[in-house]
Amino acid sequence: MIRPGIPGAVVLLGLACGSQGKVGDDRDAAGVGTGSDAGEAADSRPGDAFRHRMITRSIPEGRQGVATGSFTDPGVEYPAMEVDPRYTHVLNFRMAAFAPPLMRPVRTYGPIILYDDDLNTIVVSPMDHVFETVMWFEAGRVRSGVQGELDEVPAGWTHRFLWVEGKGINATVERWGDLMLADRGRGRTDRYADAGLSYLGYWTDNGAFYYYHTEPGLNEEDTLLAVKAEADQRGIPYGHFQMDS
């Protein structure tokens, strides 16, 4: 009776990728204000295979009435971050309830991962105010600002961005993660601390046998109870069940 439970598409973050050259209109949108650049702070260790810098944007006076009504259309846009033209490939995260992969970059709150044909890699993300951020890669520049659903930016606003360069996508993303954790005074959590990663699980998500389907004569609850009973009988040690919809 046990049917395969296949993890499906109910995710909050989906991968979007593509190639992007120096094309397109890079003008600021009409009515979008520009925050001031409070400077960059480089803090890489001598001899380190990775380089990173902190980029801080500030709006000392604050802003009011800046909402555009769309998250991806910034109410305040910051000065763009120039990128070497060799970085033509883009990976970032799509924000949607159902987020199948896309073969093009999208506007996001980050991070944005840029890489060239030799896997030289740049990772750029907000260091703080993550959910107030919108950023994207366009015409050889990383552009960013305050997301367009916010109507007010308080006085004294500062917004930090982290820029990390290195060789290899995975290695550079790991260094980016180390720096984010260090900024917050946190260490890495053991990957097996979460029950979902530590134990075999049974899923009823999109594509699984019991996705909007039950055993004949049984409702959803009784179907999954029967699955559990049969798993126990067979000695299958499920540690968790995912119940879709």
Side-chain angles (χ1 to χ4, degrees):
M1 174 177 179
I2 291 179
R3 311 298 184 184
I6 305 172
V10 180
V11 292
L12 296 179
L13 298 178
L15 187 64
C17 59
S19 296
Q20 182 97 19
K22 281 183 168 293
V23 296
D25 187 350
D26 63 357
R27 294 174 298 175
D28 289 346
V32 175
T34 303
S36 64
D37 185 351
E40 302 181 1
D43 190 27
S44 299
R45 296 188 294 268
D48 198 340
F50 300 91
R51 298 176 302 281
H52 72 272
R53 55 190 169 124
M54 192 81 69
I55 301 168
T56 302
R57 309 303 193 192
S58 64
I59 308 175
E61 73 284 4
R63 300 283 177 86
Q64 293 185 345
V66 295
T68 65
S70 171
F71 181 96
T72 57
D73 183 14
V76 176
E77 186 171 345
Y78 302 132
M81 308 174 207
E82 299 291 337
V83 178
D84 188 298
R86 65 179 174 167
Y87 293 97
T88 57
H89 306 293
V90 189
L91 293 170
N92 62 13
F93 291 91
R94 182 184 179 194
M95 301 169 295
F98 283 82
L102 291 176
M103 294 307 295
R104 58 179 176 83
V106 295
R107 296 194 178 201
T108 180
Y109 45 61
I112 291 177
I113 302 166
L114 308 172
Y115 62 100
D116 66 10
D117 292 339
D118 296 319
L119 298 183
N120 295 299
T121 304
I122 297 172
V123 181
V124 189
S125 79
M127 181 65 93
D128 46 32
H129 303 303
V130 174
F131 297 110
E132 289 74 51
T133 306
V134 61
M135 57 192 310
W136 67 101
F137 183 64
E138 179 180 65
R141 302 188 298 174
V142 174
R143 301 176 65 170
S144 61
V146 178
Q147 58 100 338
E149 293 179 348
L150 295 180
D151 197 45
E152 180 179 351
V153 178
W157 175 268
T158 60
H159 202 162
R160 298 180 302 154
F161 291 82
L162 178 61
W163 176 295
V164 185
E165 298 181 47
K167 184 76 171 183
I169 296 172
N170 286 352
T172 309
V173 170
E174 286 183 3
R175 175 53 62 90
W176 166 79
D178 289 339
L179 293 166
M180 293 289 287
L181 289 168
D183 181 71
R184 288 148 174 79
R186 296 180 58 182
R188 288 192 179 275
T189 301
D190 187 282
R191 69 181 62 189
Y192 298 113
D194 179 86
L197 299 176
S198 302
Y199 300 96
L200 180 68
Y202 189 93
W203 284 59
T204 61
D205 200 353
N206 187 10
F209 187 82
Y210 291 124
Y211 179 71
Y212 285 93
H213 178 71
T214 64
E215 281 294 308
L218 298 180
N219 61 21
E220 289 82 0
E221 178 182 4
D222 290 336
T223 295
L224 291 184
L225 288 172
V227 169
K228 178 62 166 63
E230 186 176 1
D232 291 343
Q233 182 182 9
R234 295 189 181 194
I236 301 175
Y238 289 131
H240 58 89
F241 274 63
Q242 183 269 352
M243 293 175 281
D244 193 81
S245 300

